[in-house]
Amino acid sequence: MTAALTGTLIVIGGWTIAAPHTLAQPAGEQPVAEAGDFYLPPPALPDGRGTIVRAEPAAVALSAPGQPGVFPAAATRIMYVSSDTHDAPTAVVGTYLQPSVPWTGPGERPLIAYAGGTKGQGDQCAPSKLMAQIVDFQPPLDIIFEYDLVAIRSLLNRGVAVVVTDYHGLGTPDVHDYLNRKSQAYAVLDSARAALQLPGTGLNPGTPVILYGYSQGGMASAGAAELQSSYAPDLNVRGAYVGGPVVDDEYFIGFNDGRADFAPSFAWILNGIAADYPETRPVLDAELNDLGKAILQESLGKCSVPAGLAQEHGRTSEWTTSGEPLTAVIDRSPVLQAVFAEQRIGFRAPSVPVLTASAMNDQGAPFVPVREVAAGWCGSGVPVQLEANAEIPPASGLVGTHVIAFFPAMVASQQWLTDRLAGMPAPSNCAALP
C-alpha cells in the first residue's frame, strides 16, 4: 500500500489512519492508478470470480535465462477477481509458476493452490514481490524473506504447477485482513481458477487441484477446504494439506499474549477487523489507548520480522484503556465476539480428504484447537490424517517450534498429495481422535 503523509494523517490505500487518537476511517478518494502500476485495480472489475484482470511475466529470484535448474519454473504475475469477507468482488494478485520439468506422476499435470505463511501487512511483504528478491529490507530493522520458496521449489521439482496467492490487500490498496477465514479461503480458491485460465500452460478446467498451506497458509487452506464445495464446486480439488494452522484468532492471541515475537500479529488481526467490519471501530477506538493505536498504525506497514512498538510492548494489557488483555476486551464486547467467531475454522466440513500437521509443542499455532478441529471434521465423515509431531521440543524466538515443524511436515505433505493424485485411498486416524 502506498502511503502519503498529510499533516497528522497517513492515507494508506483508501484508508485514513490518524495519529494515535482515532482508528482507521474510510478515506474520501481511492488512489488513481499510474501507468504501469500492476497492483492498482481498474475502476471496474470484470465479472466472474477467478477472472484474470491482467497478467505479465515475472522474475523469480535465483532464476537465470537458459538455466531452468536454478529455479525450475517460468513465472507469471496475475491480478484476478476474488471476494472479500463480505462476498463482494475484490482484486487479488498472485504468481503462477509453470514448472520446467515434466510431471511424472499419474494422469495430467496437477495444480497446487499454494497459500503462503505470514509475511506481514505492508505491501512490500506481498509474496509476488518477495519472489523477485527473496529478501526485503526496510530501514531501520524491518526485514522479511520469502521462506515459502523452499516448499514451492520442492513442489516444482516434482513437475506440479503452482499458483501462489498474495491474499486480499497485500500489494493492492485494501488493508490486508490477516487471518480472515473467508477472504483468505476465497483468495486461494480463486487463484486456482485464474491459473486454469492462463493460456499455454496445459492446464484445463478439470485439472486436479491440491490446496496447500502452512501457518497462515494452513488456516487459508483449511478455510478453502471448508468453503470449496459451495464457493468453487467447479474446481477438481483432490485434497487439502493444512499445516500448522491458526484455527481461532482469539485463542491465538490469548495463547501468545506477552510474547514479543507474536505481538505484531495481534495488531495485524485488529487492523484487518477494523478495515472489514466498520461496526468494530467505535469499540476498538474506545478500548485501545494511545499506545495501542500507535502500535496498530505502525504495524500496518510492517513485514513479519519487524522491530518496533509491538515488540517493545508484547503484553496486550498495555494496549488497552482498561489495562485488560485483548481477549478480555473481546469477551465483553458482543460486536467483537461476533466478528472473531466468524474467523474460526471448524464449523463446516471439507468435502475432500485432509492432511493436518501440527507440532504438539507449537508455541505459535497451538496444538489443542487444531486437534479439536480435526476431530470435528472426522465427526462429519471427512477422512482426516492428523500428524501430531511430539518430537520437536518447545522453542521460542524467530526459529521456534512452529518454524522447525515446517520442514518435516513439508516432506510428509508432498508424499500425501502425490498419493491423492494417484487416486489412492486417503489415510485417516480419526479413530484415535475422540
Side-chain angles (χ1 to χ4, degrees):
M1 57 190 74
T2 56
L5 189 61
T6 308
T8 60
L9 299 179
I10 300 177
V11 179
I12 304 180
W15 290 87
T16 301
I17 311 300
H21 298 289
T22 58
L23 288 176
Q25 300 293 333
E29 297 182 0
Q30 295 295 318
V32 178
E34 299 179 2
D37 190 338
F38 189 92
Y39 290 85
L40 283 177
L45 295 174
D47 293 333
R49 301 303 192 262
T51 299
I52 295 175
V53 178
R54 60 176 70 112
E56 66 180 13
V60 178
L62 303 184
S63 64
Q67 299 181 36
V70 176
F71 194 88
T76 302
R77 183 182 294 117
I78 54 176
M79 175 181 283
Y80 59 92
V81 181
S82 189
S83 300
D84 65 16
T85 193
H86 303 295
D87 300 302
T90 190
V92 176
V93 173
T95 305
Y96 172 73
L97 297 161
Q98 177 76 8
S100 56
V101 298
W103 165 246
T104 57
E108 61 183 293
R109 188 194 300 273
L111 173 69
I112 304 297
Y114 192 98
T118 298
K119 300 298 185 296
Q121 206 159 43
D123 278 351
Q124 74 276 13
C125 323
S128 64
K129 295 184 177 183
L130 289 174
M131 282 187 186
Q133 61 195 66
I134 295 187
V135 176
D136 181 84
F137 175 66
Q138 302 287 326
L141 292 172
D142 189 16
I143 186 168
I144 181 66
F145 65 97
E146 184 42 278
Y147 50 81
D148 278 305
L149 283 177
V150 176
I152 292 169
R153 176 168 181 152
S154 180
L155 290 164
L156 292 168
N157 283 336
R158 291 173 176 262
V160 302
V162 178
V163 62
V164 186
T165 182
D166 283 358
Y167 300 125
H168 172 240
L170 273 183
T172 57
D174 294 330
V175 172
H176 172 46
D177 39 7
Y178 178 70
L179 298 185
N180 180 286
R181 176 181 61 87
K182 288 174 68 177
S183 72
Q184 290 181 155
Y186 293 154
V188 172
L189 293 168
D190 287 320
S191 73
R193 283 170 159 161
L196 298 180
Q197 298 175 29
L198 284 170
T201 63
L203 306 179
N204 62 77
T207 291
V209 175
I210 297 286
L211 310 173
Y212 192 103
Y214 187 88
S215 192
Q216 180 184 6
M219 181 183 185
S221 180
E226 290 186 338
L227 294 174
Q228 182 263 327
S229 62
S230 59
Y231 183 80
D234 48 298
L235 293 176
N236 179 18
V237 177
R238 299 288 186 84
Y241 165 57
V242 176
V246 173
V247 297
D248 183 330
D249 289 5
E250 184 182 359
Y251 192 108
F252 169 77
I253 292 172
F255 186 85
N256 291 293
D257 201 338
R259 294 184 55 199
D261 49 337
F262 278 86
S265 302
F266 313 153
W268 297 330
I269 291 171
L270 294 183
N271 280 332
I273 283 173
D276 284 347
Y277 303 92
E279 67 272 24
T280 66
R281 294 183 198 136
V283 179
L284 292 173
D285 192 50
E287 294 287 356
L288 294 175
N289 59 28
D290 283 357
L291 173 62
K293 292 168 187 174
I295 288 171
L296 265 61
Q297 177 178 312
E298 181 185 69
S299 299
L300 270 171
K302 292 287 190 177
C303 290
S304 65
V305 193
L309 286 173
Q311 286 87 345
E312 294 169 9
H313 304 275
R315 295 190 180 279
T316 62
S317 57
E318 297 181 57
W319 303 13
T320 64
T321 56
S322 64
E324 299 170 293
L326 281 176
T327 50
V329 170
I330 295 166
D331 287 343
R332 60 180 171 75
S333 166
V335 171
L336 291 177
Q337 278 186 342
V339 169
F340 272 86
E342 284 190 24
Q343 314 316 321
R344 293 183 189 133
I345 298 293
F347 292 107
R348 296 159 183 78
S351 57
V352 296
V354 177
L355 170 67
T356 299
S358 179
M360 297 180 70
N361 292 315
D362 196 321
Q363 292 185 310
F367 174 75
V368 170
V370 174
R371 189 180 190 279
E372 291 174 352
V373 167
W377 285 343
C378 286
S380 298
V382 181
V384 177
Q385 182 73 15
L386 174 61
E387 296 290 340
N389 191 327
E391 297 180 1
I392 302 174
S396 59
L398 294 179
V399 185
T401 306
H402 185 67
V403 174
I404 296 170
F406 171 82
F407 297 97
M410 178 186 74
V411 174
S413 69
Q414 296 192 11
Q415 183 57 54
W416 181 89
L417 71 85
T418 300
D419 292 342
R420 302 291 71 72
L421 294 167
M424 296 177 63
S428 171
N429 57 359
C430 282
L433 302 176

